[in-house]
Amino acid sequence: MDILICDDEPLAVERLSRLVAQLGHQVVATAQHGKQALEMVQQFEPDVVLLDIQMPEMDGLTCAQHLAHFNPMPAIIFCTAFDEHALQAIQSQAKGYLLKPIAKAELETVLENVTKLTQAQLTNLEQKELMEEKVQRQQIAAKTYRGLELIPVENIYYFLADQKYVTVRHKNGSVLIDETLKDLETEFSDRFIRIHRNALISLDYLDGLEMVASGQYQARCRELEERLAVSRRHLPLLRERMQNL
């Protein structure tokens, strides 16, 4: 990992640099106070900042508050001779709090934890990117008494959530699937629109709105007699999408 060391004591910087190198990491920059550290982080984008607390111009806690708004935010590990700032350090999202003189084993443990966290974050990011790159399905698979049925998305009128299952209403009837309405909404956002917390309707079959008692609205679906309730929350967006159809 790339590491920045911020400490106003040259001997402390020298010792930390030696420990970091021994642990197989790289010191990309050093700073003497918090303000300088912020500039260095912008320039070098380190994975970790080893940060002293009591320093001139800008102390470590203030520096950490600013670093919390960086994107990406480096992992912060406080390295200090004082233990009274531990609570403030935790509140500043620090990943570690080491007391001087810092033992090699303690530094190694904290850096290993940061490495694991970074890898977990990367894994989650890769999974998210893979989800985003997935090709949109053209068919929905449903297990029925007839076996596995494949329903073309173009034949689906709406999705209706009911407890743990979602009803898929399509041209040849309806089936239940074990998927979430939220995932379906994300995947088919260009073809379906949410009209209620429990319903998505196909924009291809949306035929208009009808007002019912108490100012409530229902959506009409072409080729179907049934109507679907539209919530007040989703009504404005639905009207906007209908104007663009």
Side-chain angles (χ1 to χ4, degrees):
M1 289 188 297
D2 292 340
I3 295 177
L4 183 146
I5 298 173
C6 181
D7 199 309
D8 63 326
E9 299 178 5
L11 290 179
V13 172
E14 182 181 341
R15 185 171 187 278
L16 272 177
S17 298
R18 186 167 60 252
L19 292 178
V20 167
Q22 290 174 359
L23 294 173
H25 303 288
Q26 179 181 2
V27 176
V28 294
T30 62
Q32 296 180 350
H33 51 76
K35 185 177 179 181
Q36 189 178 37
L38 296 177
E39 296 171 355
M40 294 293 185
V41 169
Q42 288 181 322
Q43 181 178 352
F44 293 98
E45 296 186 351
D47 302 301
V48 179
V49 176
L50 299 180
L51 189 59
D52 190 18
I53 290 183
Q54 293 191 352
M55 296 179 293
E57 292 200 43
M58 181 185 288
D59 61 45
L61 292 172
T62 303
C63 178
Q65 291 173 353
H66 287 285
L67 289 174
H69 297 285
F70 278 45
N71 186 18
M73 175 188 172
I76 299 169
I77 299 173
F78 284 107
C79 302
T80 179
F82 307 95
D83 60 1
E84 66 264 28
H85 301 292
L87 179 58
Q88 290 173 282
I90 293 172
Q91 293 172 339
S92 67
Q93 303 180 45
K95 304 303 180 187
Y97 191 92
L98 300 175
L99 290 175
K100 298 177 181 178
I102 295 167
K104 180 180 177 180
E106 293 177 348
L107 179 60
E108 181 178 22
T109 298
V110 173
L111 290 178
E112 284 180 352
N113 290 337
V114 170
T115 302
K116 291 176 183 177
L117 178 62
T118 302
Q119 290 174 341
Q121 291 171 335
L122 286 174
T123 299
N124 290 337
L125 180 60
E126 289 169 357
Q127 290 175 345
K128 181 179 179 182
E129 290 175 346
L130 285 174
M131 288 292 291
E132 292 174 348
E133 291 172 2
K134 280 185 178 179
V135 178
Q136 189 181 92
R137 288 177 292 175
Q138 298 303 309
Q139 298 173 315
I140 296 292
K143 293 180 181 179
T144 70
Y145 67 93
R146 291 186 292 268
L148 186 67
E149 290 190 40
L150 297 175
I151 299 97
V153 174
E154 63 187 20
N155 291 346
I156 297 174
Y157 298 114
Y158 59 80
F159 296 103
L160 190 65
D162 182 16
Q163 296 182 347
K164 64 178 294 187
Y165 293 102
V166 169
T167 297
V168 183
R169 181 71 168 91
H170 59 94
K171 286 180 177 291
N172 297 314
S174 61
V175 293
L176 295 177
I177 59 173
D178 188 14
E179 299 190 39
T180 69
L181 209 61
K182 182 178 180 181
D183 288 343
L184 292 167
E185 180 182 22
T186 300
E187 183 176 359
F188 300 110
S189 60
D190 60 328
R191 305 182 70 166
F192 290 80
I193 185 170
R194 187 180 287 268
I195 60 172
H196 196 277
R197 61 180 176 82
N198 67 348
L200 302 175
I201 190 169
S202 169
L203 292 168
D204 291 334
Y205 295 102
L206 179 60
D207 194 39
L209 292 171
E210 293 180 356
M211 181 182 288
V212 293
S214 304
Q216 295 293 317
Y217 283 85
Q218 293 180 335
R220 293 194 309 270
C221 211
R222 280 200 300 273
E223 303 178 7
L224 295 179
E225 292 295 329
E226 61 253 44
R227 302 290 189 259
L228 298 175
V230 178
S231 70
R232 295 180 185 274
R233 175 184 175 189
H234 295 97
L235 183 60
L237 181 58
L238 178 60
R239 280 176 166 163
E240 182 180 334
R241 290 291 293 272
M242 289 177 64
Q243 290 176 356
N244 296 325
L245 291 179

